[in-house]
Amino acid sequence: MELHVHTFDLPLKHTFTITHESRDVQPTLIVELTWHGKSGFGEATETPYYGVTMEKMISQLESIRSFLPSDILPHPNDFWKMMSKYLLDDHPFALCALDVAYWDLWGKTHDKALHQLWGLDISQNPITDYTIGMDTIDVMVSKMKEMPFPLYKIKLGTNQDIEIIEALRKETDAVFRVDANTAWTVEQTLEFAPKLKALGVEFIEQPLKADNWEGMKRLKKESVLPIIADESCIIESDVAQCAEYFHGINIKLMKCGGITPALRMIQQGRNLGLKIMVGCMTESTIGCSAIAQLLPLLDYVDMDGCLLVEDKISQGIRIDFGHVIYAKEGGTGAKLIQHG
């Protein structure tokens, strides 16, 4: 098996702002695993908020070259177990790229999409939202008009959050979700929730700081809108704790280490009665094509990353008015069309 690492700077269609940062370019790393003429692809983005740099990920991946399979392909679960010994610690973005690439290769080797290998029914898939990053109200309205969609995720954490939703609501009948990215207090959330519900908001994602467990315990009891964990739910061990404080969890493949642990987190969350969401980073079609394989297992999905960037490097799934159209190839259906 050969490992190839490709790096790219993906231009964003608009400056993307959340409470943590603003950016115009998204550096991303693509892992390519080749085996007997077939290639599998996975992705991980540079994410300063989590201390993830391109240099760090490349160094991590170089360190495992000698441990890659050389004669037979182990099952992806066994491959992840082997690789996680070296890559799981310290925000395993590189492990995610490797794991997704291997699952993609596994599916292509068997000439089936991953959702087919897992025996999933894609006929009732949830649709994805489209994210509107923080900006002035006029700019946020113009971003929404530029991309007509049935479902929007609105980034909040400003001093005019309710005014933003009121202005956007005047322009569309679409369902809204809001994501405060840890910017609110308990009191703000409880004040905002009834107003947001009246404005057609479906749920609130991560309103409080990730470690404010007492505050979130109160919100779970008192909020009129469901509260979904994001920054509070990173890896597998977080799921059980989040079940006590949230109505649902948002799983990110890059944060948890790939498809393999995400599948376990989904099952664990279901067993605990949680609503299940999978979210994306600002990533290319390669990353979003992996998320698409999980759709039948989810209540909600946020996989619009490939719509937020100028993706000239990859192909795979397509998104039509929130609905995912799968590629014909096996695995995740992703492929790299420009090499970096």
Side-chain angles (χ1 to χ4, degrees), residues 145-331:
K145 288 183 175 180
E146 182 181 298
M147 180 65 78
F149 236 65
L151 179 60
Y152 291 100
K153 179 175 178 176
I154 316 300
K155 295 288 189 176
L156 298 179
T158 73
N159 58 6
Q160 50 182 357
D161 286 341
I162 299 300
E163 290 86 347
I164 288 171
I165 301 301
E166 288 173 339
L168 295 177
R169 175 52 69 211
K170 292 177 182 177
E171 306 295 336
T172 180
D173 293 328
V175 175
F176 290 161
R177 298 164 176 171
V178 301
D179 184 0
N181 283 115
T182 76
W184 292 348
T185 64
V186 173
E187 290 71 23
Q188 282 178 307
T189 308
L190 292 175
E191 178 190 346
F192 292 163
K195 300 174 183 178
L196 294 172
K197 184 176 182 179
L199 288 165
V201 170
E202 184 177 26
F203 61 71
I204 299 170
E205 188 176 338
Q206 196 70 46
L208 310 182
K209 300 296 183 186
D211 60 354
N212 187 355
W213 299 105
E214 282 305 309
M216 289 180 289
K217 188 174 184 178
R218 185 179 167 195
L219 291 186
K220 186 177 182 184
K221 291 180 180 179
E222 299 181 28
S223 174
V224 299
L225 284 175
I227 307 294
I228 307 297
D230 182 2
E231 284 87 346
S232 295
C233 188
I234 306 296
I235 57 177
E236 291 181 69
S237 59
D238 295 330
V239 177
Q241 183 174 19
C242 283
E244 300 181 43
Y245 300 95
F246 292 90
H247 301 97
I249 54 174
N250 184 3
I251 300 166
K252 302 282 182 68
L253 300 189
M254 292 184 201
K255 295 180 185 180
C256 73
I259 288 173
T260 303
L263 287 168
R264 296 193 292 258
M265 292 173 75
I266 290 168
Q267 186 58 57
Q268 185 182 6
R270 284 273 178 240
N271 293 342
L272 292 168
L274 289 165
K275 291 289 188 179
I276 307 297
M277 179 178 182
V278 167
C280 65
M281 311 298 272
T282 42
E283 59 199 74
S284 77
T285 302
I286 288 175
C288 290
S289 294
I291 296 172
Q293 307 306 311
L294 301 168
L295 285 177
L297 302 173
L298 310 179
D299 298 296
Y300 317 120
V301 67
D302 170 34
M303 51 175 290
D304 63 338
C306 56
L307 301 178
L308 300 174
V309 300
E310 297 285 353
D311 182 6
K312 298 181 180 179
I313 68 167
S314 63
Q315 292 178 348
I317 58 99
R318 293 183 293 112
I319 298 173
D320 181 14
F321 202 59
H323 297 271
V324 168
I325 301 169
Y326 289 90
K328 295 180 180 179
E329 290 80 7

Side-chain angles (χ1 to χ4, degrees), residues 36-212:
H36 295 297
K38 295 184 181 293
S39 289
F41 300 96
E43 182 171 12
T45 59
E46 183 172 82
T47 310
Y49 181 73
Y50 289 104
V52 179
T53 65
M54 300 295 276
E55 293 76 12
K56 178 179 176 180
M57 289 191 290
I58 292 170
S59 175
Q60 288 177 310
L61 291 165
E62 291 295 335
S63 73
I64 55 87
R65 279 187 184 274
S66 61
F67 303 110
L68 293 172
S70 58
D71 47 2
I72 62 171
L73 291 181
H75 188 276
N77 291 341
D78 296 322
F79 178 79
W80 187 90
K81 187 175 181 180
M82 290 187 293
M83 294 299 107
S84 67
K85 297 176 184 177
Y86 312 104
L87 298 176
L88 185 58
D89 293 335
D90 196 17
H91 294 300
F93 282 52
L95 177 59
C96 169
L98 191 67
D99 176 74
V100 170
Y102 192 84
W103 270 109
D104 185 29
L105 179 63
W106 181 262
K108 286 172 178 170
T109 300
H110 290 79
D111 199 28
K112 286 188 176 181
L114 294 181
H115 65 81
Q116 293 173 325
L117 286 175
W118 299 331
L120 301 179
D121 177 8
I122 62 172
S123 65
Q124 301 298 317
N125 281 353
I127 64 172
T128 182
D129 53 40
Y130 181 79
T131 302
I132 307 295
M134 289 194 303
D135 212 311
T136 65
I137 291 179
D138 288 345
V139 171
M140 293 177 77
V141 168
S142 69
K143 286 180 182 179
M144 192 180 70
K145 288 183 175 180
E146 182 181 298
M147 180 65 78
F149 236 65
L151 179 60
Y152 291 100
K153 179 175 178 176
I154 316 300
K155 295 288 189 176
L156 298 179
T158 73
N159 58 6
Q160 50 182 357
D161 286 341
I162 299 300
E163 290 86 347
I164 288 171
I165 301 301
E166 288 173 339
L168 295 177
R169 175 52 69 211
K170 292 177 182 177
E171 306 295 336
T172 180
D173 293 328
V175 175
F176 290 161
R177 298 164 176 171
V178 301
D179 184 0
N181 283 115
T182 76
W184 292 348
T185 64
V186 173
E187 290 71 23
Q188 282 178 307
T189 308
L190 292 175
E191 178 190 346
F192 292 163
K195 300 174 183 178
L196 294 172
K197 184 176 182 179
L199 288 165
V201 170
E202 184 177 26
F203 61 71
I204 299 170
E205 188 176 338
Q206 196 70 46
L208 310 182
K209 300 296 183 186
D211 60 354
N212 187 355

Side-chain angles (χ1 to χ4, degrees), residues 12-40:
L12 274 69
K13 293 180 179 177
H14 297 281
T15 298
F16 189 76
T17 299
I18 59 176
T19 54
H20 307 318
E21 61 177 324
S22 293
R23 58 184 179 272
D24 295 294
V25 173
Q26 176 61 66
T28 195
L29 179 147
I30 306 296
V31 166
E32 178 182 3
L33 293 176
T34 61
W35 175 270
H36 295 297
K38 295 184 181 293
S39 289

